[in-house]
């Protein structure tokens, strides 16, 4: 009780104004290019295709770097969240880890194909950047409950996710359209020569995504630093804050087992369905490449479409969250994901709904020319539409479930639950695909992740206030 009162004394005296809300939402905008450009669509594939010895080696090395970064994030996120609760302020932590992301991302510029150390520079820079980006997000999330009344948390979370999607989309279009060029043609996706004389032969446009992500972050995080209110500092020295934070974390973990079983059930549910969603996105392009023979152009356009629908979904989902409740939004999104996954595994190059014949893709017929391809694109857009509300709603639901005086700790545990078993979904898909020799069978295992997550979520209830 004393802790809660002390926390309340440290909280801002009033909620944030429009400028503060916009500044907080722009954090997602500022950080998203790292995930969109470096992790997913540009530098990651470039590393596997042109820096590593072979595509298979590149995929394996990238996976190991991702796993190593995920392990650090899983172990340290709850600890750092607890320390932030003890020290009071969040924004200095956001900036410190944002700087860490920027340093790692900028290092990617020197990962030049064929040069000594390029593989190591690419992997270490990516891992450092990932750790910084994820830790900064923990502290940004912990600011949410002090910015708006509880009944508007859903709209706030949805706004942040939508801003992130838009930032990722714009940065991706700029990169593919004006910076990253094909080594064969020397032209970008829009047919232009790359800006600033970036040499396609050395993948300069692809490597530039690292420095671009760093500059983008520092420019667009400024409104949060200037206008978004933060809790005042407790005045504790760092060593004292760490000691108190760790002691508080031990109390929190013990309470999870004894008193907060409802919250523990949600964190486990989030862990499971987040694994499934991450694997669905990770294998979506691979599945399409294997079933339909899609190239980078088709997969890139598919990614842009998913980002657009994700933006719309996150914005609308935030409003549904405040109207219907976070739990209803997340449960509805999971239900749609289950249906969409069933339909996806019912498609192959010549059939839809498992048995209905349909003409498959024919070379030269243009983008997404066959019925199975168009249905796959439509289902991908549906997945994009509900994935934003599911992730934003999960972030909001935690704010309703967790005690206010330990919100930073629980957002650290929230980050932990999203990372600690992040290998499980891809591993399950890989294992089932391997033993069945079927991509469809491998993808179908994700149904279990969504179904179990939905079942666990159904047993949670919001904290009474």
């Amino acid at each position: 009780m004393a802790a809660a009162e002390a926390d309340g004394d440290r909280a801002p005296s009033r909620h944030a104004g429009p400028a503060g809300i916009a500044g907080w939402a722009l954090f997602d905008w500022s950080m998203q290019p790292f995930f969109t450009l470096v992790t997913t669509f540009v530098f990651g594939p470039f590393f596997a295709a042109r820096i590593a010895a072979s595509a298979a080696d590149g995929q394996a090395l990238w996976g190991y770097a991702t796993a190593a970064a995920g392990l650090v994030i899983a172990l340290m996120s709850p600890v750092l969240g607890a320390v932030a609760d003890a020290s009071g302020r969040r924004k200095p932590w956001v900036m410190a880890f944002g700087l860490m992301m920027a340093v790692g991302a900028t290092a990617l510029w020197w990962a030049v194909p064929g040069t000594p150390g390029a593989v190591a520079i690419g992997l270490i820079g990516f891992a450092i950047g990932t750790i910084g980006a994820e830790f900064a997000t923990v502290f940004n999330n912990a600011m949410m409950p002090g910015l708006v009344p509880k009944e508007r948390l859903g709209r706030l979370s949805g706004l942040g996710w939508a801003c992130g999607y838009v930032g990722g989309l714009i940065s991706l279009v700029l990169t593919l359209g004006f910076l990253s060029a094909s080594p064969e043609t020397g032209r970008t996706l829009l047919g232009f020569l790359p800006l600033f004389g970036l040499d396609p032969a050395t993948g300069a446009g692809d490597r530039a995504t690292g420095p671009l992500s760093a500059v983008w972050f520092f420019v667009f995080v400024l409104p949060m630093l200037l206008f978004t209110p933060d809790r005042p500092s407790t005045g504790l020295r760092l060593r004292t804050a760490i000691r108190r934070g760790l002691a508080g974390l031990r109390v929190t973990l013990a309470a999870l087992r004894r008193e907060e079983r409802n919250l523990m059930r949600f964190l486990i549910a989030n862990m499971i369905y987040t694994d499934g969603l991450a694997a669905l996105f990770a294998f979506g392009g691979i599945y399409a490449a294997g079933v339909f023979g899609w190239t980078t152009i088709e997969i890139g356009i598919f990614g842009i479409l998913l980002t657009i629908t994700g933006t719309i979904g996150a914005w609308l989902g935030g409003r549904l969250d405040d109207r219907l409740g976070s739990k209803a939004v997340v449960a509805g999104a999971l239900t749609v994901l289950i249906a969409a996954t069933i339909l996806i595994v019912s498609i192959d190059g010549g059939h839809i709904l498992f048995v209905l014949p349909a003409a498959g893709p024919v070379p030269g017929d243009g983008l997404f020319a066959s019925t199975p391809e168009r249905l796959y694109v439509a289902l991908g857009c549906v997945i994009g539409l509900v994935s934003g509300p599911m992730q934003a709603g999960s972030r909001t639901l935690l704010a309703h479930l967790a005690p206010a005086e330990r919100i930073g700790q629980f957002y650290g545990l929230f980050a932990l639950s999203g990372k600690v078993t992040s290998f499980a979904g891809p591993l399950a898909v890989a294992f089932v695909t391997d033993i069945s020799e079927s991509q469809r069978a491998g993808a179908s295992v994700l149904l279990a992740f969504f179904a179990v997550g939905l079942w666990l979520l159904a047993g949670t209830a919001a904290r009474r206030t």
Side-chain angles (χ1 to χ4, degrees):
M1 187 67 180
E5 291 172 357
D7 185 81
D9 293 339
R10 297 198 310 265
S13 58
R14 58 184 176 83
H15 294 299
I21 297 298
W24 181 86
L26 280 173
F27 170 84
D28 281 321
W29 172 295
S30 72
M31 191 61 77
Q32 188 59 38
F34 178 83
F35 297 111
T36 299
L37 301 180
V38 173
T39 302
T40 307
F41 289 114
V42 182
F43 188 84
F46 166 75
F47 176 88
R50 299 190 56 193
I51 297 179
S54 68
D57 285 343
Q59 180 170 306
L61 290 171
W62 196 257
Y64 291 136
T66 303
L71 180 62
V72 174
I73 293 162
L75 293 175
M76 292 301 298
S77 289
V79 175
L80 290 171
V83 171
D85 282 340
S87 62
R89 300 183 67 191
R90 277 51 160 139
K91 287 198 284 189
W93 295 93
V94 171
M95 286 309 300
F97 287 114
L99 177 61
M100 182 177 178
M101 179 280 295
V103 169
T106 302
L108 302 178
W109 172 254
W110 286 278
V112 182
T115 60
V119 171
I121 292 172
L123 294 176
I124 294 172
F126 166 66
I128 291 173
T130 299
I131 292 168
E134 293 287 357
F135 283 164
T137 301
V138 169
F139 296 107
N140 179 70
N141 287 345
M143 295 175 69
M144 278 180 57
L147 301 180
V148 296
K150 267 199 170 184
E151 61 270 17
R152 294 188 59 197
L153 281 172
R155 187 171 300 187
L156 176 65
S157 186
L159 175 65
W161 275 102
C163 282
Y165 276 119
V166 173
L169 173 63
I170 292 175
S171 65
L172 180 61
V173 171
L174 290 175
T175 299
L176 296 180
F178 301 101
L179 300 179
S180 180
S182 165
E184 289 78 20
T185 65
R187 300 279 176 171
T188 70
L189 186 61
L190 297 180
F192 300 123
L193 292 173
L195 295 179
F196 314 117
L198 295 172
D199 185 4
T202 64
D206 303 272
R207 293 183 288 114
T209 56
L212 173 62
S213 298
V215 172
W216 188 287
F217 170 77
F218 285 120
V219 170
F220 291 109
V221 82
L222 284 175
M224 187 196 76
L225 297 179
L226 296 174
F227 304 120
T228 304
D230 198 1
R231 295 184 178 188
S233 172
T234 60
L236 296 177
R237 293 184 176 182
L238 180 60
R239 180 179 298 178
T240 305
I242 291 173
R243 187 170 61 250
R244 290 194 182 182
L246 291 175
L249 179 59
R250 286 193 292 270
V251 171
T252 296
L253 293 174
L256 266 178
R257 293 191 297 269
R258 294 194 316 268
E259 307 162 16
E260 301 288 349
R261 294 185 180 180
N262 181 58
L263 184 50
M264 183 169 66
R265 184 183 179 101
F266 166 68
L267 290 173
I268 295 173
N270 178 71
M271 176 182 71
I272 293 171
Y273 63 66
T274 298
D275 285 352
L277 184 64
L280 186 61
F281 277 116
F283 286 94
I286 296 172
Y287 188 87
V291 173
F292 306 122
W294 283 2
T295 64
T296 302
I297 292 177
E298 285 94 347
I299 293 173
I301 294 173
F302 183 60
I304 290 173
L305 291 173
L306 261 66
T307 304
I308 293 172
T309 57
T311 305
I312 297 170
W315 184 80
L316 292 175
R319 281 146 181 78
L320 288 174
D321 191 318
D322 288 336
R323 183 183 296 269
L324 303 176
S326 308
K327 179 179 174 180
V329 169
V330 176
L334 284 170
T335 302
V336 173
L337 283 173
I338 290 171
T341 304
I342 292 172
L343 290 173
I344 282 174
V345 299
S346 79
I347 301 170
D348 63 20
H351 297 85
I352 59 175
L353 301 178
F354 296 104
V355 295
L356 297 180
V362 177
D365 278 356
L367 296 175
F368 315 132
S370 70
T371 299
E373 287 177 286
R374 289 194 293 268
L375 180 57
Y376 188 84
V377 170
L379 291 170
C381 290
V382 169
I383 290 170
L385 194 66
V386 300
S387 62
M390 190 186 84
Q391 294 171 95
S394 298
R395 179 165 66 177
T396 307
L397 183 54
L398 180 70
H400 291 294
L401 292 170
E405 68 273 14
R406 299 198 298 274
I407 194 68
Q409 296 176 28
F410 280 109
Y411 270 113
L413 291 171
F414 181 69
L416 168 66
S417 73
K419 293 292 180 183
V420 68
T421 60
S422 57
F423 63 89
L427 180 62
V429 172
F431 178 73
V432 175
T433 302
D434 190 32
I435 63 174
S436 67
E437 299 184 352
S438 167
Q439 284 186 282
R440 296 167 71 177
S444 67
V445 76
L446 298 179
L447 291 168
F449 285 79
F450 298 137
V452 173
L454 179 59
W455 173 71
L456 288 170
L457 178 71
T460 62
R463 176 177 295 273
R464 296 181 179 179
T465 57

